[in-house]
Amino acid sequence: MRRALLAVGVGLALADSSIVTLALPEILGRFDVAITSVSWVLTSFNLVLAVVAVPAAYVSRRRPRESYATGALVFGTASLVCGLAPSFDVLVGARCIQAIGAALLVTSALDLLTQREGDERALRVWVVAGVFGAALGPAAGGVLTELLGWESIFLAQVPLALLLLVALRGVEARSIATPAGRPAVAANAALLFVAGGLVAALFLVVLLLVDGWGMSPAAAGLVVTVMPLTAIAVGRLRPRSVGEVQGVAVGVILLSGGLTALALMPRAGWGWTLPPQLLVGAGLGLTVGGLTELALRGRPDQVVHGGWTLCARHAGVVVGLVLLAPVLTSALDENRDEAIRAGAAVVLDSEIPPLDKLGVAQDVLGEVDRSNDAGELPDVERALADRPDDAEWQSLIGALQDQLNRAVTSAFSGPFLLAAVLTLGAFVPLAFVRRRRA
Amino acid sequence: MRRFVPVLVALGLVAAVVVPYVALGGGSFEPTPVADPCQARALPEAEGLGETIERIALTAVDNVACQLGVSREELVLALRSEDAFDSFTSENDIDRAEAERAIHDGLVSAVDKAEADGTLPGLVAPLVRKAAENLPPWLILEALERLGSFLPG
């Protein structure tokens, strides 16, 4: 029970690094802020978590029980403020406080798990819980936003955060006094590159499925479960003959290859994301777990080194967001114009009555403008809902939808490719891990 | 050599996904590029007045777009409102008066040709020509559309 609660705490806190991905358009609609500013709801959490992870780990090693309790209470209270935030500034401020609570919660959970399970098993539970939380965050946030509104993402976390306190029952106070030693710079640097690349897999795939291809968040959540499930399966199935560094190298290849495949999808549709997701999931399982183990194993104090891995991972997420978001935004803008021209060609060359063509073009452009203002993608069927239901019109709607799918899918190609390159950057520090161990 | 086996297996798995994706058109799944307006294109057969007016408009739009160095689609989108027309001329660095003149001349020339080859009835041709000559560009397509729906086909 306690182990499960500690794992849930880690998953819950780290899910917050990505949980608002699908809620951003709603948050944009609620507060009067620029599109470029709204991503701070996501970035601020990861940035603060990266900055405070190591100090939080030092606090946690001295007073794990108190740190865990404080972390859960701070996290829960900040979640409540996020859910009731009267302004955008309050929301971002509360997200920063939430990250401080998350850092205390996650680092002290590693210590409490170690007390109960021993180093090896604690580390495994800690890593798996974090991977699951981060991977399922966007989908969970999307479902809550769809059903109850974006505020519910944060309000639902309040009782969960309080429930986590039950894990402290019967835990004895203890303090680690041994020096933590120097951090594993190469392994953590590799983790930073991998986490930067994973932003594309964890954030952009869900965005593409839901906002790009119009899937419901619940269905998209089911689709992206492939990644964490594969990650866990591959992490367990790794043959002992494959060394840790070698396993990470294989993982980087699979992760980068999966991201490349996502950039090269030949059609729109969730089925096309599955083979790349299997590669990404396998890469995720081998890299994050492997690098975290390389950074922590055999070190005198797992908690502090866990703090360093947390810092590296979330610094990588920030780097990924900072690099990929502008590339995606500019590609969407550019492809929007191309799609409008291609859509106009489709209308002009279609077999609908010629005198209807101008009206259709105006209706579709009206929908493009409406959706642009709402931060959504155009809905062709909605724009042409009152037209006859015959073969010519259905063919036109299909052709327009195809152009839209092409525009959206190809806009995501650049960020996926950039993420694949970023992931390959992990080989540079990884070479030093190898040299140091040899 | 054995230590490279896992790496080779990983590369094989990646190739097993990426190669078929590329073969199926991955990397070129993007909006269809619009055609060059200076290249002749097949137009639908005109079976009624509506189709005839459409042929005239499409022929004129192709010719004018070719003359102005823009795509047919950009020009059509520019003709939906005065604001769109102004954005079009400024974005493409085209003199507004020159663009208006090119559109009027292009349409009148297409009407003359259709009248000469007998596809546009002599009774309708003056009405269409009048619209092409006198209306601002952003009202022409709508006027032609209304004209087509009022007149018997």
Side-chain angles (χ1 to χ4, degrees):
Chain A
M1 174 70 175
R2 190 193 306 162
R3 187 179 69 185
L5 275 174
L6 291 170
V8 167
V10 173
L12 180 70
L14 296 185
D16 261 82
S17 71
S18 56
I19 202 162
V20 289
T21 309
L22 287 174
L24 293 182
E26 272 215 16
I27 294 173
L28 183 69
R30 165 73 175 76
F31 300 109
D32 186 21
V33 286
I35 287 182
T36 43
S37 304
V38 78
S39 62
W40 274 103
V41 182
L42 213 54
T43 312
S44 58
F45 181 91
N46 286 289
L47 185 61
V48 172
L49 187 50
V51 170
V52 303
V54 176
Y58 274 100
V59 174
S60 293
R61 74 198 287 255
R62 288 196 176 280
R63 295 181 177 279
R65 286 180 82 248
E66 291 81 354
S67 297
Y68 184 84
T70 309
L73 288 172
V74 169
F75 184 81
T77 309
S79 298
L80 183 66
V81 176
C82 286
L84 302 174
S87 71
F88 186 72
D89 293 343
V90 171
L91 175 61
V92 173
R95 285 284 283 164
C96 295
I97 306 293
Q98 214 190 8
I100 295 171
L104 284 168
L105 195 59
V106 174
T107 50
S108 56
L110 177 58
D111 183 274
L112 297 175
L113 279 166
T114 307
Q115 281 185 43
R116 192 188 143 86
E117 310 281 338
D119 282 359
E120 286 282 323
R121 199 167 164 75
L123 181 55
R124 204 167 304 140
V125 172
W126 192 70
V127 169
V128 168
V131 166
F132 229 92
L136 290 184
V143 172
L144 284 169
T145 304
E146 187 184 24
L147 296 177
L148 301 165
W150 67 267
E151 296 90 341
S152 66
I153 293 176
F154 299 110
L155 297 176
Q157 296 185 55
V158 179
L160 282 173
L162 295 177
L163 183 68
L164 295 176
L165 295 172
V166 177
L168 288 177
R169 274 200 325 185
V171 173
E172 289 170 17
R174 70 157 197 175
S175 172
I176 300 170
T178 50
R182 287 175 54 199
V185 176
N188 280 311
L191 198 52
L192 187 148
F193 281 104
V194 165
L198 275 172
V199 166
L202 301 182
F203 294 63
L204 298 190
V205 171
V206 178
L207 271 182
L208 178 60
L209 290 171
V210 176
D211 284 342
W213 296 341
M215 274 185 95
S216 77
L222 202 63
V223 171
V224 297
T225 313
V226 170
M227 280 187 282
L229 290 180
T230 313
I232 289 163
V234 169
R236 281 175 179 271
L237 294 174
R238 194 188 81 191
R240 291 203 175 276
S241 57
V242 178
E244 275 173 343
V245 176
Q246 200 179 17
V248 172
V250 167
V252 171
I253 292 170
L254 292 172
L255 184 51
S256 182
L259 291 166
T260 305
L262 284 168
L264 295 172
M265 281 187 291
R267 305 278 184 280
W270 62 268
W272 294 100
T273 69
L274 293 182
Q277 279 198 71
L278 287 170
L279 294 176
V280 169
L284 174 65
L286 291 170
T287 51
V288 174
L291 286 168
T292 307
E293 285 181 19
L294 278 169
L296 267 70
R297 182 162 292 149
R299 306 265 166 181
D301 179 358
Q302 284 210 142
V303 179
V304 168
H305 292 285
W308 280 110
T309 63
L310 208 56
C311 166
R313 272 173 64 172
H314 291 274
V317 171
V318 173
V319 169
L321 286 172
V322 167
L323 285 179
L324 302 181
V327 177
L328 177 63
T329 310
S330 109
L332 280 171
D333 280 347
E334 192 181 315
N335 282 17
R336 175 179 169 272
D337 294 340
E338 271 188 51
I340 289 174
R341 282 194 288 273
V346 165
V347 174
L348 291 175
D349 296 334
S350 70
E351 292 180 3
I352 61 169
L355 300 177
D356 287 338
K357 289 183 179 176
L358 185 63
V360 168
Q362 279 173 338
D363 287 350
V364 172
L365 285 169
E367 171 62 13
V368 169
D369 290 342
R370 184 206 64 79
S371 60
N372 202 38
D373 291 344
E376 300 167 0
L377 286 160
D379 182 343
V380 175
E381 284 198 38
R382 172 183 161 148
L384 303 180
D386 56 347
R387 309 290 168 160
D389 187 22
D390 59 26
E392 279 126 17
W393 284 94
Q394 289 309 313
S395 161
L396 173 65
I397 290 172
L400 286 171
Q401 188 61 52
D402 179 55
Q403 292 302 328
L404 187 62
N405 285 340
R406 286 170 177 271
V408 171
T409 310
S410 69
F412 279 75
S413 286
F416 280 134
L417 267 186
L418 182 59
V421 173
L422 189 63
T423 305
L424 287 178
F427 274 121
V428 177
L430 201 57
F432 289 94
V433 174
R434 193 192 299 264
R435 222 171 279 163
R436 180 176 166 269
R437 288 174 68 84
Chain B
M1 186 62 201
R2 271 176 57 191
R3 71 194 186 116
F4 289 111
V5 171
V7 171
L8 293 174
V9 170
L11 289 171
L13 287 172
V14 170
V17 177
V18 170
V19 172
Y21 273 32
V22 172
L24 289 168
S28 56
F29 187 62
E30 49 195 25
T32 313
V34 294
D36 178 358
C38 301
Q39 300 289 321
R41 80 176 91 212
L43 292 173
E45 281 301 314
E47 291 173 0
L49 186 60
E51 281 87 349
T52 304
I53 291 178
E54 182 192 19
R55 273 183 75 97
I56 291 170
L58 289 177
T59 308
V61 164
D62 263 336
N63 292 339
V64 175
C66 176
Q67 187 186 333
L68 296 176
V70 297
S71 70
R72 172 186 71 160
E73 289 71 19
E74 277 178 284
L75 185 57
V76 169
L77 293 170
L79 296 181
R80 70 185 194 276
S81 68
E82 186 171 7
D83 285 348
F85 189 72
D86 285 341
S87 305
F88 163 77
T89 50
S90 65
E91 276 168 21
N92 291 286
D93 202 18
I94 298 171
D95 179 63
R96 184 181 157 134
E98 185 197 331
E100 285 192 35
R101 197 165 43 249
I103 291 163
H104 289 305
D105 292 351
L107 269 169
V108 170
S109 153
V111 172
D112 290 345
K113 191 166 175 293
E115 191 183 17
D117 62 23
T119 49
L120 189 65
L123 201 64
V124 182
L127 288 172
V128 179
R129 191 179 292 109
K130 206 78 176 162
E133 280 173 342
N134 295 306
L135 287 173
W138 51 93
L139 293 180
I140 288 177
L141 289 182
E142 196 180 341
L144 292 179
E145 183 184 305
R146 288 192 180 173
L147 192 62
S149 60
F150 282 132
L151 292 170

